Amino acid sequence: MTEMMSLLTQAVEKRLLRPLDIQFARLLADESQPALLLAAACVSAEAGEGHVCLPLVNLSETGLFAGRQPVLAQAIWQAAGAPGSWSECLAGWSAVSDGSRVTPLVLSHQRLYLHRLWQSEGQVAAFFSLQDTSAVFDAHTASEVLNDLFGNQPDDWQKIAAAVALTRKTAVISGGPGTGKTTTVAKLLAAMIRLNDGSLRFQLAAPTGKAAARLTESLGKALQELSVSDKERARFPSEATTLHRLLGAQPDTQRLRYHAGNRLHLDVLVVDEASMVDLSMMAKLIAALPLHARVIFLGDRDQLASVEAGAVLGDICRCSENGYSLARAEQLALLTGCALEGVDHQQAPRVRDSICLLRKSYRFDAKSGIGQLASAVNLGDIQQIEKVFAAAFDDIHYQTLDSGEAYQLMLNEVVQGYQPFLQLIKQNAAPEEIIAVFGRYQLLCALRDGPFGVQGLNQRVEQRLIQLQRIRRPVTGSRWYPGRPVMITRNDSALGLFNGDIGITLRDAENQLKVFFSLPDGSVKAVQPSRLPSHETAWVMTVHKSQGSEFEHTALVMPAQFLPLLTRELVYTAITRARKRLTLYSDLGIFQRAVALQTQRRSGLVERLAGLT
């Protein structure tokens, strides 16, 4: 084994690289090419951490492993020959090209990509940069329809968002909790129905089953509050689906039923929780869209980015910092009656005219600690966070976990949080009622392992429930018992279950244990435990898995030591899962350090949207 391979193996042992990264590097470079081995391993590792590309400026002695393990990084750098110019070092390597020919890696504008991510980024940039034609309808009529649906407030950003989407084939609407994204879309769809004589084919979608179910429910409620005719109401979409279902995901394969050669059958697509859509999925969705289709992306740009590579919604929304163009501001002002000022910036990305950021929260008032805490966290305002905690708001409960006694108290409070759900099981209530009540309270955490992670907390919650006789001890050799909540972790399109779906284990009419899932149409499906795809117990879930869901009472457990995955976006996402009550179990110092650390997803999308690359 060469010196470089020995050092890279040490990096794997220290979890700075994955075995996959080393194997990938060995496929592309010989052990006599230590610098190329290093470059290939690092670009693979970057993708594994959610980055789309590796800027060459980061491929340096001090930039290796983000400054962790500096002694090892220095040794690896020296073993690579301390490259002075990566562009020269990579030149002539058959595994790299500028994208004009198919190679495993692409070097573009001093950024090194895996080919598939470079290609996907280009497809997404091209799609959102299209100078689409405005919808064909009379501006005066459109203005009247918007006035009828939204009223005549002078600074109604919901109305502006609807006008943006009415006049563009692609629109991006971003806003925090309670800013009315779903209400806006309900009114927008009503406007589209009124302005189009033909029957538009609508489709609603979201990244996960839980997010799709929530979109179905919330849009249905918003529709009930709209003043629309029975004929118009009948033309509204009634059910959301997951993106995987929409694209026709096939079991045990990456193949999709719908793609560029077999496009989706729809006219208008609404995608909720767009911050969860990774770069590759966005590219696949775009490829499957009919050329005439209109798409509305909804989401909160400040939430956690997708688990896979990319932060597409966040990158696109950054383009809104340029403001609307002069012509666009004039058009939107004419349609809405709102005062808008354009910015004469010739080099600004075209997509800026397709974005609207909702600014006002209708959920949280001045008495709400949750709203104020979410705002302070989003701004990284540590002093304001301390003021919120000191104010002792009724909807926020904060507790440190500085001892074993505090940890046990937390477990007791968790049991109490699930008590209404457990009581319904004891009463043999209907599965749909039990499932609904389970969704009112949820314990979240940041980690997978350890006493503060999903696995450890799930075990401890189960043990505490058994001790208190809230659940029956499972039969030896089995994990199943009435009341066990499970989350699906792998798509199974044949069974109709997808990653993120939550089911509750109950006894059916024949006294057999089944796992009951709520479907988007409100019905319930019962599945034998042995037939389930990969799954895990869900008394506790990670903050990542909670995206697309909301709970009346959300509890967040943070670890006893600070870790780099504790970021502002993670804390903000957890807080905004709470509708009425939030409980935080954390050391204040760790909480503040997390708020101070912002997630950085490296990509070239913003530059490509601006036409700079």
Side-chain angles (χ1 to χ4, degrees):
M1 182 182 294
T2 63
E3 180 185 10
M4 175 57 80
M5 284 305 304
S6 175
L7 291 169
L8 292 179
T9 300
Q10 291 181 43
V12 171
E13 293 170 355
K14 295 181 180 296
R15 297 189 177 183
L16 302 171
L17 296 173
R18 303 168 298 173
L20 172 65
D21 304 327
I22 305 302
Q23 293 302 319
F24 177 75
R26 295 182 68 179
L27 281 173
L28 302 188
D30 187 86
E31 292 192 21
S32 64
Q33 301 170 299
L36 303 185
L37 282 171
L38 175 61
C42 286
V43 74
S44 174
E46 290 284 282
E49 292 183 5
H51 302 293
V52 176
C53 61
L54 171 61
L56 293 184
V57 68
N58 287 18
L59 196 52
S60 63
E61 182 177 357
T62 56
L64 279 180
F65 314 131
R68 292 172 290 168
Q69 298 292 333
V71 175
L72 178 59
Q74 183 182 37
I76 290 176
W77 185 252
Q78 294 301 320
S85 169
W86 276 108
S87 297
E88 294 179 5
C89 186
L90 298 174
W93 187 18
S94 60
V96 180
S97 73
D98 61 0
S100 59
R101 58 188 178 87
V102 178
T103 53
L105 302 178
V106 173
L107 179 60
S108 176
H109 294 82
Q110 298 299 300
R111 291 189 288 267
L112 192 61
Y113 293 82
L114 297 178
H115 186 276
R116 62 178 176 82
L117 292 179
W118 173 82
Q119 188 176 49
S120 294
E121 186 179 83
Q123 292 170 338
V124 171
F127 176 80
F128 283 97
S129 297
L130 286 175
Q131 189 66 46
D132 57 38
T133 56
S134 300
V136 180
F137 51 74
D138 180 69
H140 177 71
T141 304
S143 181
E144 287 184 337
V145 169
L146 289 173
N147 287 339
D148 181 51
L149 291 167
F150 289 90
N152 293 286
Q153 297 298 320
D155 58 346
D156 189 343
W157 284 98
Q158 291 186 5
K159 188 178 184 181
I160 294 169
V164 167
L166 274 179
T167 52
R168 282 289 188 274
K169 286 177 65 177
T170 304
V172 177
I173 301 173
S174 176
T179 51
K181 295 186 290 293
T182 307
T183 300
T184 301
V185 168
K187 294 180 179 180
L188 167 61
L189 297 184
M192 287 182 168
I193 289 170
R194 291 182 184 180
L195 291 168
N196 289 271
D197 294 333
S199 179
L200 292 174
R201 296 169 297 177
F202 292 101
Q203 181 65 63
L204 309 173
T208 66
K210 189 69 174 178
R214 183 166 157 263
L215 176 59
T216 298
E217 179 185 5
S218 57
L219 194 58
K221 289 180 179 178
L223 177 59
Q224 294 302 317
E225 298 176 2
L226 284 183
S227 179
V228 295
S229 68
D230 291 340
K231 183 178 180 181
E232 290 171 337
R233 193 179 302 275
R235 294 171 64 184
F236 269 80
S238 59
E239 182 179 326
T241 186
T242 66
L243 290 175
H244 285 92
R245 286 190 184 104
L246 177 70
L247 294 175
Q250 306 296 313
D252 302 318
T253 177
Q254 294 294 316
R255 297 180 61 184
L256 301 171
R257 183 176 298 114
Y258 296 101
H259 45 76
N262 181 34
R263 296 179 185 267
L264 294 161
H265 305 294
L266 56 81
D267 300 307
V268 179
L269 174 64
V270 177
V271 179
D272 197 13
E273 297 294 346
S275 65
M276 299 170 65
V277 182
D278 62 81
L279 181 66
S280 295
M281 175 56 77
M282 184 67 79
K284 292 173 183 175
L285 176 63
I286 288 168
L289 289 172
L291 298 180
H292 71 278
R294 303 173 69 175
V295 194
I296 301 105
F297 293 97
L298 304 175
D300 185 345
R301 63 172 180 168
D302 298 314
Q303 283 188 24
L304 281 166
S306 54
V307 175
E308 302 297 328
V312 180
L313 183 70
D315 283 346
I316 291 171
C317 287
R318 282 174 58 189
C319 298
S320 66
E321 298 168 1
N322 294 277
Y324 293 121
S325 65
L326 295 174
R328 183 62 162 156
E330 182 180 354
Q331 179 191 38
L332 293 175
L334 180 65
L335 285 172
T336 64
C338 300
L340 291 169
E341 293 186 5
V343 179
D344 186 11
H345 188 342
Q346 298 298 322
Q347 300 300 319
R350 291 175 178 176
V351 72
R352 65 172 172 157
D353 284 341
S354 298
I355 304 170
C356 185
L357 306 182
L358 301 179
R359 293 160 167 78
K360 180 180 178 180
S361 176
Y362 297 88
R363 180 187 303 170
F364 304 120
D365 57 25
K367 296 180 181 179
S368 167
I370 297 173
Q372 293 190 40
L373 182 62
S375 177
V377 167
N378 201 10
L379 295 172
D381 190 336
I382 301 300
Q383 291 185 341
Q384 183 59 29
I385 289 171
E386 293 176 347
K387 289 180 181 178
V388 172
F389 285 147
F393 286 98
D394 291 338
D395 58 348
I396 293 181
H397 173 62
Y398 173 76
Q399 179 181 315
T400 59
L401 287 179
D402 53 1
S403 66
E405 291 77 8
Y407 190 93
Q408 291 301 317
L409 177 61
M410 178 266 292
L411 291 177
N412 289 337
E413 290 180 353
V414 172
V415 170
Q416 193 61 35
Y418 285 121
Q419 185 57 35
F421 159 75
L422 296 166
Q423 188 64 32
L424 285 180
I425 295 176
K426 187 176 181 180
Q427 297 170 356
N428 294 317
E432 52 267 29
E433 184 180 0
I434 293 173
I435 292 172
V437 171
F438 177 78
R440 293 179 185 173
Y441 175 87
Q442 184 64 57
L443 181 62
L444 305 179
C445 63
L447 309 178
R448 293 290 310 167
D449 303 319
F452 298 95
V454 166
Q455 295 182 2
L457 280 167
N458 268 315
Q459 292 175 2
R460 286 162 175 79
V461 170
E462 275 188 349
Q463 291 169 0
R464 195 71 182 123
L465 288 170
I466 292 171
Q467 290 171 359
L468 297 174
Q469 299 184 344
R470 300 294 197 275
I471 61 174
R472 294 183 179 180
R473 185 180 299 276
V475 177
T476 303
S478 172
R479 291 295 312 279
W480 297 101
Y481 53 85
R484 182 191 178 196
V486 297
M487 174 182 285
I488 301 301
T489 57
R490 184 181 181 186
N491 297 331
D492 187 332
S493 56
L495 200 56
L497 296 177
F498 293 83
N499 186 12
D501 288 350
I502 290 182
I504 305 297
T505 310
L506 302 168
R507 294 196 179 277
D508 63 8
E510 286 74 38
N511 202 36
Q512 298 296 312
L513 281 179
K514 298 284 182 66
V515 184
F516 290 79
F517 295 86
S518 179
L519 301 180
D521 63 0
S523 63
V524 173
K525 169 191 281 190
V527 181
Q528 291 181 349
S530 61
R531 295 190 61 201
L532 290 180
S534 178
H535 57 274
E536 62 188 20
T537 305
W539 294 111
V540 189
M541 69 174 70
T542 62
V543 177
H544 278 91
K545 288 290 188 180
S546 74
Q547 285 185 272
S549 302
E550 285 184 346
F551 314 98
E552 288 186 10
H553 184 178
T554 300
L556 172 65
V557 178
M558 298 186 72
Q561 294 181 333
F562 180 78
L563 298 167
L565 59 79
L566 301 177
T567 64
R568 180 182 304 176
E569 290 79 9
L570 182 138
V571 173
Y572 172 81
T573 301
I575 291 170
T576 54
R577 300 311 90 205
R579 293 183 60 87
K580 295 181 179 180
R581 183 167 177 78
L582 172 72
T583 300
L584 291 171
Y585 300 103
S586 174
D587 174 82
L588 183 59
I590 290 174
F591 185 88
Q592 292 177 339
R593 287 186 66 184
V595 171
L597 180 60
Q598 283 188 276
T599 301
Q600 300 293 331
R601 283 286 178 91
R602 291 184 276 279
S603 83
L605 183 56
V606 174
E607 289 78 5
R608 292 173 87 162
L609 286 168
L612 299 179
T613 63

